[in-house]
Amino acid sequence: MLNDATDALVPLLPEGVLRDIGPAYLEEPRGRYKGRAGLVAAPRTVEEAAAIVSACARAGVPIVPRGGGTGLVGGQVMPDGTVPLLLSLERMNRIRAVYPEEGVIVAEAGATLQQVREAAAKAGRQFPLALASGGTAQVGGVLATNAGGVNVLRYGNARALCLGIEAVLPQGQVMRDLKRLRKDNTGYDIRDLLIGAEGTLGIITAASLVLAPVPPEVGVAMLVVESPEAALTLLSLAQARMAGGVTAFELISGQGLRFLDAAFPDLRQPFADRPDWLALIEVGLPSGLSADDALEGLFTEAAETGLASDGVIARSGQQAADLWAIRETIPEGNRHIGAIASHDISLPLSEIAGFIRDCSAMLSGMADLRINCFGHLGDGNLHFNLFPAEGKTRDAYDNIRKGLSRAVHEMVLARGGSFSAEHGVGRLKVAELAEWGDPARLAAMRAIKDALDPAGIMNPGVILV
Amino acid sequence: MLNDATDALVPLLPEGVLRDIGPAYLEEPRGRYKGRAGLVAAPRTVEEAAAIVSACARAGVPIVPRGGGTGLVGGQVMPDGTVPLLLSLERMNRIRAVYPEEGVIVAEAGATLQQVREAAAKAGRQFPLALASGGTAQVGGVLATNAGGVNVLRYGNARALCLGIEAVLPQGQVMRDLKRLRKDNTGYDIRDLLIGAEGTLGIITAASLVLAPVPPEVGVAMLVVESPEAALTLLSLAQARMAGGVTAFELISGQGLRFLDAAFPDLRQPFADRPDWLALIEVGLPSGLSADDALEGLFTEAAETGLASDGVIARSGQQAADLWAIRETIPEGNRHIGAIASHDISLPLSEIAGFIRDCSAMLSGMADLRINCFGHLGDGNLHFNLFPAEGKTRDAYDNIRKGLSRAVHEMVLARGGSFSAEHGVGRLKVAELAEWGDPARLAAMRAIKDALDPAGIMNPGVILV
């Protein structure tokens, strides 16, 4: 449904950019928000994107930028306020250039993560950012949300993998800063300001991204640990031994394994008695050191010091993939059960074990429920998700859901953690940010938003109220 | 000399913060700018720092933040305009906390790099940022200028090593964001905006910084390479073999070695015939792989493929230090000769060899001079410095100095490089940034500056005109 403002907008847009408003443009994966769009425009070039933004700025029409639409916090939809134009990056999906000898790729915002990873592999390099949604998630969205994933421990978030961006700023100016430089100290870091701004300060249209060398030796192991404490000590040991060679370090709980049993009885798990806690470790090591030997050495020391009671080391790529499949099927196992509430939190590493213990105790005092705590332990990033007790359904928790989440988040904050580790704020956590964010930082954010987007048209309602 | 504004300021300041205005507060290392200060204030706490900034904001007195004073672009002095208050971080120099198991240290802005490095070593960790001026340079200045150094290839710039900051914003608000988290996606990246803003958007008073594990195996080698091309191919080979284990990769020119001969005839150099080009490599490797073996393996492959014609591998810590001493004495060798002009530039890696060749040819057509090109090749960061021909003095080049620098910078820009890689803009490169910066990016910078510092009191004249 067009309103007057969008009607007036149509003649101002570049020719051929409008698309049919299909339902896929109006959805987000968790189904919490219903999107609306007066128009859907898909530019083919940055100049077309700039023309669209300019026109919207003049007409006062809000813009919702849209990448792959995989975000989990509602940043890709606008359920209320003036009906927006939805700007889809789907046609700006080229890999513009690959520089294998520099370790750099230049990709347009609409290219999927998988496209980038395939182009990197073809050039004998890797793009390290790995998400379950990588076949759909696009470069622009990944940067706008500063996405994480399983390799952050070694390679950093999306932010750390971006050397330069091209973007359209909220009044239609094109910022051309697609540098391929590791060092460039020429004024304010506008790139990092747009990264993580979730489309509220401009639209990223292309980026130069870091490609890393493929480690000559790669290995995967899964170790049984007694507790999160033991997992953290094991992480520390692994990092001390591997000199930066630990690529991923994931925590898996017995509850997660039992959910997998229920949802995917055919999925092969290496330990017949489901352990309380598992650590999944991937290493990437130099030429001359076998990954098997390095993992054996780690396991031996971990066993001798009582950190690990059992473990398997993958002896083939297939076995490695099988171990990873356990970790990567956990979210599906969770969906099968149906969560009461999910929490994407991070904590200082030394606070994690105490948090898991105290928060679990607190919650079991509040309600009869099950907790599946898993995630990127190496980054201090837990997915701390709550599920109905056996025999109950999630509806039974409708009245206490908010209270449970608030209690979790308050404990996270009290321990110096974050209530949004890798998913972002979107619309989902706007109130939390307003309540819990540092006031001076929030005031600076607001001042910057007003300065760069005086008309307030860029993804209104996301991040800032 | 106090003027009326600073006179009126004194009663508004916290008790006991004023210091005598010694000459050390008014100098910068290259002696190009003469600083002035109506008052020097050294707060002991962030609250005192905030009170000073508030008072200046109300009185309209500019503030020049001062760390160790080692910056090379004049950002620490204010030679003209309203006489400023100089805010020195010297008394905020505590290490607030060390978390070895997290790999985090929280240091105040006035702590020197060396203090941080020593505290890290005491905790069995390392703080990887290493600068020649580390005994004097302070955390706040290092962050405000996003300093680099020799380990950026592996560990990143100052920006990459900072997890959180505490800062005073330009109207006196304290931003408390000293998080110790690897992941925290809660709105705009104000931290990275203050990092690299050279004191123009606020004053960093403390930071939580990354401590890295000390690699079990460390090795250093110096290889003779025929050309910068060969050095870059060697870098690529080293990175492919070492899986992220290359800590530093420095380029040294024959000209630099000959300057060392002239300035420090007693400095031991490993190659009797001074080679045209040397690569200095440091690796940090996992347990189980000897650094000697890894470097031997690299050297053998480099020799077989014609990339390196000779080389030495350090057999002891002393030998490693001796090899590093050659690299680290080069700036002193340069000072002994006296540069016509210095250039802190960066280039995409695949542009470096062509740039060195073409720029050298262009300059030799413009003047009779010598070039010492050296630096952090792994980061694409060259110090491309020009010296008088033998028998001439730098004064002889006074008339053409600016033209030479402009020609160098224009060639850098034409190849997608930066005219300020790691030293920053300061006052020295304000005109270059205004001329060569992307207009949309400059406009965004200006809008942010005006929004956060409406009175324009924070380090005026630095970065933006």
Side-chain angles (χ1 to χ4, degrees):
Chain A
M1 195 200 83
L2 298 180
N3 59 19
D4 293 349
T6 42
D7 263 346
L9 192 59
V10 174
L12 304 175
L13 298 177
E15 222 162 298
V17 298
L18 289 179
R19 313 287 269 184
D20 291 340
I21 308 178
Y25 289 121
L26 308 176
E27 292 166 359
E28 51 86 19
R30 290 189 169 165
R32 298 190 191 184
Y33 302 98
K34 223 184 130 38
R36 300 161 310 138
L39 297 169
V40 173
R44 288 152 291 203
T45 62
V46 64
E47 289 78 16
E48 285 188 353
I52 296 166
V53 173
S54 276
C56 289
R58 271 177 288 148
V61 173
I63 299 173
V64 176
R66 179 115 188 164
T70 59
L72 296 173
V73 289
Q76 68 279 64
V77 292
M78 186 171 163
D80 37 46
T82 308
V83 177
L85 175 141
L86 198 148
L87 194 153
S88 168
L89 279 305
E90 65 195 69
R91 289 155 103 183
M92 290 190 70
N93 62 356
R94 286 186 312 131
I95 303 294
R96 289 197 191 156
V98 184
Y99 303 89
E101 72 285 19
E102 293 180 11
V104 176
I105 189 168
V106 181
E108 290 186 340
T112 62
L113 265 192
Q114 192 169 319
Q115 264 180 278
V116 175
R117 291 174 64 87
E118 282 168 7
K122 227 172 114 181
R125 294 283 182 277
Q126 60 162 331
F127 182 61
L129 201 139
L131 302 176
S133 58
T136 312
Q138 296 173 5
V139 165
V142 160
L143 289 171
T145 59
N146 187 28
V150 293
N151 296 336
V152 171
L153 178 62
R154 180 171 193 153
Y155 297 104
N157 288 307
R159 184 186 299 293
L161 296 170
C162 180
L163 300 175
I165 58 173
E166 172 192 275
V168 179
L169 301 184
Q171 294 173 285
Q173 322 93 311
V174 177
M175 182 174 98
R176 298 181 196 276
D177 196 33
L178 271 182
K179 291 195 176 128
R180 315 196 308 267
L181 305 172
R182 311 284 163 159
K183 285 182 172 174
D184 176 35
N185 274 341
T186 50
Y188 304 163
D189 187 3
I190 307 296
R191 178 183 76 233
D192 278 316
L193 192 62
L194 290 179
I195 295 174
E198 304 183 31
T200 64
L201 296 178
I203 296 170
I204 296 169
T205 54
S208 43
L209 302 167
V210 172
L211 300 183
V214 180
E217 293 279 336
V218 175
V220 175
M222 192 174 259
L223 272 63
V224 176
V225 293
E226 197 180 42
S227 62
E229 277 96 334
L232 284 157
T233 311
L234 178 65
L235 167 65
S236 201
L237 178 67
Q239 289 188 301
R241 292 179 65 99
M242 303 288 177
V246 184
T247 304
F249 194 101
E250 299 281 308
L251 182 71
I252 297 170
S253 75
Q255 186 64 260
L257 299 176
R258 288 188 293 276
F259 284 175
L260 289 181
D261 283 330
F264 302 97
D266 295 339
L267 185 78
R268 283 169 51 183
Q269 295 194 27
F271 307 103
D273 290 333
R274 305 302 180 227
D276 284 344
W277 298 100
L278 288 175
L280 177 67
I281 307 174
E282 180 168 318
V283 296
L285 299 170
S287 182
L289 176 64
S290 122
D292 270 15
D293 290 352
L295 288 170
E296 292 278 8
L298 173 67
F299 183 43
T300 303
E301 188 173 346
E304 281 168 9
T305 53
L307 287 177
S309 59
D310 200 354
V312 289
I313 296 173
R315 297 297 172 190
S316 68
Q318 185 55 50
Q319 282 183 17
D322 289 347
L323 293 179
W324 268 111
I326 295 170
R327 164 65 184 85
E328 288 180 341
T329 311
I330 287 176
E332 285 175 67
N334 289 346
R335 276 191 287 277
H336 178 83
I337 307 291
I340 303 167
S342 305
H343 307 97
D344 165 43
I345 59 177
S346 64
L347 288 150
L349 288 185
S350 62
E351 296 286 346
I352 285 184
F355 168 81
I356 294 176
R357 187 189 56 233
D358 293 355
C359 195
S360 304
M362 174 187 72
L363 290 169
S364 71
M366 293 175 74
D368 186 20
L369 47 71
R370 292 175 292 178
I371 299 170
N372 186 8
C373 168
F374 65 103
H376 318 300
L377 191 70
D379 313 318
N381 177 193
L382 300 177
H383 299 302
F384 195 83
N385 296 355
L386 314 184
F387 296 84
E390 217 144 350
K392 289 197 180 182
T393 62
R394 66 188 301 278
D395 315 352
Y397 299 80
D398 280 351
N399 291 334
I400 57 167
R401 178 175 294 119
K402 279 199 176 171
L404 292 171
S405 280
R406 189 174 178 92
V408 170
H409 284 151
E410 283 179 346
M411 193 174 275
V412 166
L413 293 168
R415 288 179 178 267
S418 171
F419 59 90
S420 175
E422 59 172 7
H423 295 168
V425 175
R427 301 182 174 281
L428 187 67
K429 298 186 178 176
V430 167
E432 282 85 346
L433 178 58
E435 180 177 357
W436 289 323
D438 175 76
R441 182 166 166 266
L442 286 175
M445 284 169 53
R446 167 52 65 193
I448 289 168
K449 170 73 174 172
D450 292 345
L452 296 185
D453 181 18
I457 60 164
M458 291 305 310
N459 222 3
V462 166
I463 294 186
L464 294 167
V465 193
Chain B
M1 196 201 80
L2 299 181
N3 58 19
D4 293 349
T6 43
D7 263 347
L9 191 58
V10 174
L12 304 176
L13 298 177
E15 221 162 298
V17 297
L18 289 179
R19 312 287 270 182
D20 291 341
I21 308 177
Y25 289 120
L26 309 176
E27 292 166 358
E28 50 86 21
R30 289 189 169 165
R32 299 189 190 183
Y33 301 97
K34 224 182 129 39
R36 299 160 312 136
L39 298 168
V40 173
R44 288 152 293 203
T45 63
V46 65
E47 289 78 17
E48 285 189 353
I52 295 166
V53 173
S54 276
C56 288
R58 273 177 287 149
V61 173
I63 299 174
V64 177
R66 179 117 187 164
T70 59
L72 296 174
V73 289
Q76 69 279 65
V77 292
M78 186 173 162
D80 37 46
T82 308
V83 178
L85 174 140
L86 198 148
L87 194 153
S88 168
L89 280 305
E90 66 195 66
R91 290 155 103 183
M92 289 191 70
N93 62 355
R94 286 185 312 131
I95 304 294
R96 288 197 192 158
V98 183
Y99 303 89
E101 73 283 21
E102 293 180 12
V104 175
I105 189 168
V106 181
E108 291 186 339
T112 63
L113 265 193
Q114 192 169 320
Q115 264 180 277
V116 175
R117 291 174 65 87
E118 283 168 5
K122 228 172 114 181
R125 293 284 182 277
Q126 59 161 332
F127 182 62
L129 201 139
L131 302 176
S133 58
T136 312
Q138 296 174 5
V139 165
V142 160
L143 289 172
T145 59
N146 187 28
V150 294
N151 296 335
V152 171
L153 178 63
R154 181 171 193 151
Y155 298 104
N157 289 305
R159 184 185 300 291
L161 296 170
C162 180
L163 300 176
I165 59 173
E166 173 193 274
V168 179
L169 301 184
Q171 294 173 286
Q173 321 93 310
V174 177
M175 181 173 98
R176 298 181 197 275
D177 196 34
L178 272 183
K179 292 197 175 124
R180 316 197 307 267
L181 305 172
R182 311 284 162 157
K183 284 183 173 173
D184 176 34
N185 275 342
T186 50
Y188 304 163
D189 187 3
I190 307 295
R191 177 183 78 234
D192 277 317
L193 192 62
L194 291 179
I195 295 174
E198 305 183 29
T200 64
L201 296 178
I203 296 170
I204 296 169
T205 54
S208 44
L209 302 167
V210 171
L211 301 183
V214 180
E217 292 279 336
V218 176
V220 175
M222 192 174 259
L223 272 62
V224 176
V225 292
E226 197 180 43
S227 62
E229 275 97 335
L232 285 158
T233 311
L234 179 64
L235 167 64
S236 201
L237 178 66
Q239 289 187 302
R241 292 179 65 100
M242 303 289 178
V246 183
T247 304
F249 194 100
E250 299 281 308
L251 183 71
I252 297 171
S253 74
Q255 188 64 72
L257 299 176
R258 289 189 292 276
F259 284 175
L260 289 182
D261 283 331
F264 303 97
D266 294 340
L267 185 79
R268 281 171 50 184
Q269 296 194 26
F271 306 103
D273 290 332
R274 304 303 178 224
D276 283 344
W277 298 99
L278 287 176
L280 177 66
I281 307 174
E282 181 167 316
V283 295
L285 300 170
S287 181
L289 176 63
S290 121
D292 270 16
D293 289 352
L295 287 169
E296 292 276 9
L298 173 66
F299 183 42
T300 303
E301 189 173 346
E304 280 169 9
T305 52
L307 286 177
S309 58
D310 199 355
V312 289
I313 296 173
R315 298 297 172 188
S316 67
Q318 185 55 51
Q319 282 182 16
D322 288 348
L323 293 180
W324 267 111
I326 294 170
R327 165 64 184 87
E328 287 180 342
T329 312
I330 287 175
E332 285 175 65
N334 288 347
R335 276 191 288 276
H336 178 84
I337 306 291
I340 303 167
S342 304
H343 307 97
D344 165 41
I345 59 177
S346 64
L347 288 150
L349 287 185
S350 62
E351 296 286 345
I352 285 184
F355 168 82
I356 294 176
R357 186 189 56 232
D358 293 354
C359 195
S360 304
M362 173 188 72
L363 290 169
S364 72
M366 291 174 74
D368 186 20
L369 47 71
R370 292 176 292 180
I371 299 169
N372 186 9
C373 168
F374 66 103
H376 317 302
L377 191 70
D379 314 318
N381 178 196
L382 300 176
H383 299 301
F384 195 83
N385 297 354
L386 315 184
F387 295 85
E390 217 145 350
K392 289 197 180 181
T393 62
R394 70 189 298 278
D395 315 353
Y397 299 81
D398 280 351
N399 291 334
I400 58 168
R401 177 174 295 119
K402 280 198 176 172
L404 293 171
S405 281
R406 190 174 178 89
V408 170
H409 284 151
E410 284 179 346
M411 193 174 275
V412 166
L413 293 168
R415 288 178 177 268
S418 170
F419 60 90
S420 175
E422 60 172 6
H423 295 166
V425 175
R427 301 182 174 282
L428 187 66
K429 297 185 178 177
V430 167
E432 282 86 347
L433 178 58
E435 181 176 357
W436 290 322
D438 174 75
R441 184 167 166 266
L442 286 175
M445 285 169 52
R446 167 53 65 192
I448 290 167
K449 169 73 174 173
D450 292 346
L452 296 185
D453 181 17
I457 60 165
M458 291 305 310
N459 221 4
V462 167
I463 294 186
L464 294 167
V465 192

